[in-house]
Every structure is written in C-alpha cells, then in structure tokens.
Amino acid sequence: MKHAVVILAAGTGTRMKSRLPKVLHPLLGKPMVAYAVEAAIESGAERVVVVVGHGAEAVQTALADYPVVFAHQAEQLGTAHALMQAEQALEGFEGRVLVTYGDTPLLSGQTLARLAGALEAREAGMVLLSLVLEDPTGYGRVLRGADGSVHAVVEEKDAGPEEKRVREVNSGVYAFDANLWAYLKEVRNHNASGEYYLTDLVQIYRAHGHRVVALEGEDPAELLGVNTRAHLAEVERILLERLRRAWMLRGVRMIQPETIYLEPTVELARDVTLWPGVILRGRTRIGEGSVVGAYSVLVDTVVEADAEVRGHTVAEGAVIRAGAGAGPFARLRPGAELEAGAHVGNFVEVKNARIGPGAKAGHLAYLGDAEVGEGANIGAGMITANYDGKRKHRTRIGKGAFIGSNAVLVAPVEVGDGALVGAGSVITQDVPAGALGVARGRQRNIEGYAERKRREE
Ligand code: UD1
Ligand code: CA
C-alpha cells in the first residue's frame, strides 16, 4: 500500500532566538528539515510534501535537491490547518498519509514505515505514535479506552487535573487512511488556543466508526523535538555519538571520541587515528593508516593512506597524498596538493599550489599559485609574491631546487631544476637550471667600528 508523507515546517520557531528559520538550523552541517525529508524518503513514501510558511523561500532553496513538493501555510492557525494546505499538492493521490514535523530530526524512516503498516495491521483509520514520559508537561495526553484504543488526545492547555496525570503523550506523528481529507474539514477551532488541532481527528475518526490506535515509540530520543538551541545541541550530540560509534566499529581509532566532531558526509578508512578535538567536515576523506593530530580542522580535504596531519592543521579543499605530512600548524587552502612524501610544517600556508613528491617546506613559508618540483627544499620564511594588486601569477620551482631562507619569489618567475636561491633574495627574473640566483645588498664589514663609536660618545 502506498503512502505519502506531509512534513509540517511552517512554524516561526521564536524560541530559537535567531534570524534563521527554525527548520534550517544545521545539525552536523545539514539543515534540520533535511533529516525529516530523508526519513520520509527512506520510509518508502510515494510523495513528500513540505508545508512551509515562516522563511518559506529559504526552506525551499535548502531543499531544492530533494524530490519534494511544497505547500504554503500563510498564517499559522494550528497543526490541522497546516495539514489542510497539503491537500492540493496531493491531488490524485489515493493512499495513506503520514504526518511528521520539520523539527523532529531523529525520527527514522523505519518508524514511519512501521506507523504506516499499523493502519492495516491494527484495523485502524488513524494511528498515532505515543511515548511514555517521566514528565509529560507541555505535551498532548493520550486517553485510552477500556479496549486499549485511543479515545482522545487532550492538549495541556485544555486538560483537567486528572488528565494531566496521564504520562503517555502524543508525539505528533500520525498515519491516516484515505478519509483524511474529508474528515479534516470537520475540525473546528473551539479550544483554549483558538487553533485547528490535528488531534481533534481522533474524535472525528471515532465518530465515523473507525478505530484509532497508539503505537508506542521504541526510542524516546527519536521523538525529540527541537524548540530551543539547547534542544538542538542535545540532538546534535546524539547524532555525533551514533556517527562516531559507527566509524569506531569500522576500524577507526578515536582518542577521547567525545571531543571529535565529524559530519555524515565524511569517509574514513581502517586504522585511521583521530586525536582529540579533530573537526572533519564536508567531503573530507581519510585513507587507511593516516593520523590526524589534535585540534586539526579538515574541510573537503582528501588525505590518502599513511599520511600524517599533525596538530592544529587547518585545511580546506586540499589533497594530501600517501605518506605526505602537514603541520603542526599548517594552513592548506583550496587547491593545495602535497604529493607523496612531501612535507609542509609549522606555519606554512599553501594555496593553489602543488608540492612535488618528497619536497619540503618546514617553516613559516607562503606558497601560493605555485609548482614545487620533486625533492625541492623551501627555506624558512620563503614567500611567493603571487599578486600584483590586480592579478595572480604563477611561480615554478624546479626539481631538487634549494630556496634560501626569507627569499621572495616575485611571480611570474621560474627557478630551474637543481638551481639555488640565496637567502634573503628578492627574485624577479628566472634562475636557470643549476645556477645560483642572488639578489640582495652585498655585505660590508667595517673593522673597529664599535670601538670608534664608543669613543665619540
Ligand atoms: C503538538 C500536538 C501535541 C503533541 C506535540 C508533540 C497538536 C494540536 N498538538 O503540540 O498533542 O504532544 O505536538 O510535540 O497537534 N505547525 C505549523 N503550522 C501551524 C502550527 C504548527 O506548521 O499552524 C508546525 C510547527 O512548525 C511545529 C509543529 O507543527 O513544527 C507542531 O506545532 P506546535 O504548535 O509546536 O504543536 P505543539 O503545541 O507542540
Ligand atoms: Ca512543538
């Protein structure tokens, strides 16, 4: 039997205290609402409708790559009103309809599928997902009849003292049979909030002779709704814990795992070691046996096998090939590529530059828009002057070249294979292969100068 999923995501989310719409707050780099959409797809939904309102345009843009359609709720008149807006988007669809929220990111596709299946299995017109809580304050209470079926859900605001003692609460996730759209028209807003409550459908289904049943959620965490940034942090903590655990079970070593942040898009191989405080984001991939040192941040960066990224390295859009090394305190910017066995060390910045196999830049250098040949040695403090104020230019350093400390290579310029550059030189012309390029004031020593100076005083 087919089912559609409607995700309600029109709310303002004022308690987030943010200019960003609530459902766009990121969890591990992905907007909260995308988790709901992915669960809906995973449940086998034929169609997915997202009801947007507050920040509608931004929400639609964020979900542009997902196979969903949108419905608009201009005014937030309640959860039933929100669902009514989806009717048109589902025109011609005859199956069951599931309702979830854009702010319940831990709900799994499996639980949704289970809910849909319960309609037939339990011969019900409506199924709701419930939870038994120590403290049910704030939630709608599930009132069951003698046969165990659900007779009503009463909102906190409308509940009497007796009802408030009930600890089984409504999670707000439902499955309905195809009568939904007809019955939805019978919902009125005669209650303490003056809102159209989705929960009123319990009585309406019953009045039409259908059973309403509650399915108890297996994992209470799954139903955590995000209303504040504290909730957001709690959900992110749970997602991270699951992710780290999964990688550890696949052979990744994490030292003080609770301090490591990584996103679901990251890929790790066996025998990768991550030291405390490591942050791995986006399309980062780390190969077998590689080590990432403490407090390093890697974004969209590829590290091949047996490479070593030492502590406090910050890399974005970089490639570190097998056996290469970076850091501590290396800065790799987009287009940085360290070939096999290359090494860049302390306070070396690399941007749009290829560092050839076995080449080394140990300390305090800037290599921008450059090509460094195999086995070349870059002295401490060397920089490429790659920008003339208008355009960027390239620097080529040949195989086995040796660049002295504090040299400036003013691009475009080329240092040939095996050539040397004297320390402190400002190189504006090409240095031929095998030559020594020196460009600096000649040293002059004035004998006895210090003694003379002292006598004059
Ligand atoms: C709802 C349930 C309550 C349940 C609780 C679980 C109703 C009447 N009550 O209460 O029984 O225990 O969820 O969290 O359904 N939304 C819209 N448009 C609207 C109103 C809401 O899109 O006009 C969206 C909100 O963005 C939010 C979700 O629906 O994501 C839930 O709405 P909210 O007003 O927070 O319902 P609760 O009071 O939490
Ligand atoms: Ca809520």
Side-chain angles (χ1 to χ4, degrees):
M1 239 278 217
K2 290 172 183 174
H3 72 266
V5 176
V6 178
I7 299 169
L8 306 185
T12 50
T14 44
R15 288 170 68 203
M16 296 297 281
K17 309 221 159 96
S18 170
R19 40 190 183 174
L20 194 64
K22 172 160 95 173
V23 295
L24 291 187
H25 279 259
L27 286 164
L28 304 186
K30 196 161 62 181
M32 198 190 313
V33 67
Y35 287 83
V37 169
E38 284 170 16
I41 293 167
E42 196 192 305
S43 78
E46 186 92 342
R47 299 212 215 163
V48 181
V49 182
V50 183
V51 179
V52 293
H54 183 74
E57 256 179 60
V59 177
Q60 282 180 252
T61 307
L63 294 177
D65 292 339
Y66 289 93
V68 299
V69 292
F70 297 94
H72 287 262
Q73 186 193 27
E75 255 187 303
Q76 263 96 71
L77 302 179
T79 43
H81 179 258
L83 182 55
M84 286 173 203
Q85 313 311 310
E87 183 176 4
Q88 230 188 344
L90 286 177
E91 222 181 272
F93 178 80
E94 296 280 302
R96 308 167 295 190
V97 178
L98 270 61
V99 177
T100 74
Y101 300 106
D103 62 0
T104 314
L106 297 179
L107 186 71
S108 70
Q110 216 182 339
T111 299
L112 285 176
R114 203 159 67 86
L115 207 62
L119 281 171
E120 285 83 48
R122 308 275 300 269
E123 292 176 337
M126 169 176 180
V127 181
L128 62 85
L129 197 61
S130 75
L131 260 189
V132 177
L133 296 182
E134 280 300 311
D135 177 15
T137 312
Y139 288 92
R141 308 298 204 280
V142 176
L143 306 182
R144 291 183 185 248
D147 64 346
S149 76
V150 177
H151 282 195
V153 171
V154 222
E155 293 308 302
E156 171 97 18
K157 281 181 191 153
D158 306 299
E162 197 64 12
E163 292 161 342
K164 278 189 181 154
R165 273 197 287 276
V166 173
R167 293 198 300 126
E168 185 177 16
V169 304
N170 172 27
S171 71
V173 179
Y174 316 91
F176 300 100
D177 68 14
N179 291 306
L180 170 68
W181 306 111
Y183 295 171
L184 205 47
K185 295 182 175 66
E186 297 177 26
V187 175
R188 299 285 171 265
N189 63 347
H190 305 145
N191 52 55
S193 316
E195 285 187 15
Y196 294 89
Y197 286 168
L198 206 42
T199 44
D200 285 0
L201 282 168
V202 175
Q203 278 97 324
I204 296 169
Y205 265 91
R206 282 173 53 78
H208 286 277
H210 303 277
R211 263 163 65 82
V212 176
V213 302
L215 209 67
E216 239 187 79
E218 282 165 3
D219 177 5
E222 249 198 294
L223 296 164
L224 277 180
V226 174
N227 294 315
T228 65
R229 288 178 190 260
H231 295 148
L232 191 73
E234 172 65 6
V235 168
E236 198 162 51
R237 189 186 61 75
I238 293 169
L239 286 170
L240 263 178
E241 237 162 50
R242 287 183 190 167
L243 195 57
R244 286 186 300 232
R245 196 180 148 71
W247 282 119
M248 286 191 273
L249 294 178
R250 289 162 76 171
V252 173
R253 176 185 184 211
M254 295 190 187
I255 300 162
Q256 282 188 23
E258 64 282 5
T259 65
I260 293 169
Y261 172 93
L262 75 169
E263 293 177 350
T265 40
V266 168
E267 286 173 44
L268 306 173
R270 289 192 313 178
D271 291 320
V272 162
T273 297
L274 305 178
W275 282 85
V278 164
I279 295 176
L280 304 176
R281 298 181 46 204
R283 300 265 154 217
T284 293
R285 279 192 347 242
I286 304 189
E288 193 166 323
S290 285
V291 177
V292 183
Y295 304 103
S296 290
V297 181
L298 307 186
V299 184
D300 299 327
T301 289
V302 175
V303 179
E304 290 185 349
D306 301 313
E308 188 178 10
V309 177
R310 296 173 69 186
H312 299 275
T313 291
V314 178
E316 186 175 351
V319 178
I320 300 172
R321 302 237 177 259
F329 296 100
R331 172 79 172 109
L332 305 179
R333 292 169 51 203
E337 194 176 342
L338 309 187
E339 295 287 351
H343 177 78
V344 302
N346 312 274
F347 305 103
V348 172
E349 176 178 345
V350 183
K351 184 216 79 173
N352 190 25
R354 201 182 68 88
I355 313 300
K360 296 200 166 25
H363 338 259
L364 299 160
Y366 173 57
L367 290 154
D369 303 303
E371 197 79 46
V372 177
E374 183 171 349
N377 195 302
I378 307 297
M382 189 223 89
I383 67 163
T384 52
N386 58 329
Y387 185 50
D388 62 12
K390 286 201 187 85
R391 287 190 303 149
K392 304 281 172 64
H393 302 280
R394 288 196 76 79
T395 299
R396 284 201 174 73
I397 297 171
K399 282 185 196 166
F402 185 97
I403 315 294
S405 291
N406 239 26
V408 179
L409 306 186
V410 182
V413 77
E414 184 168 344
V415 177
D417 290 352
L420 290 93
V421 168
S425 293
V426 176
I427 299 295
T428 56
Q429 292 162 30
D430 291 352
V431 180
L436 166 67
V438 189
R440 63 180 187 220
R442 221 172 229 296
Q443 181 169 337
R444 178 162 78 101
N445 291 338
I446 303 170
E447 294 294 339
Y449 179 87
E451 181 63 16
R452 224 162 46 236
K453 190 84 182 162
R454 204 167 322 121
R455 255 187 263 124
E456 277 172 19
E457 272 161 10

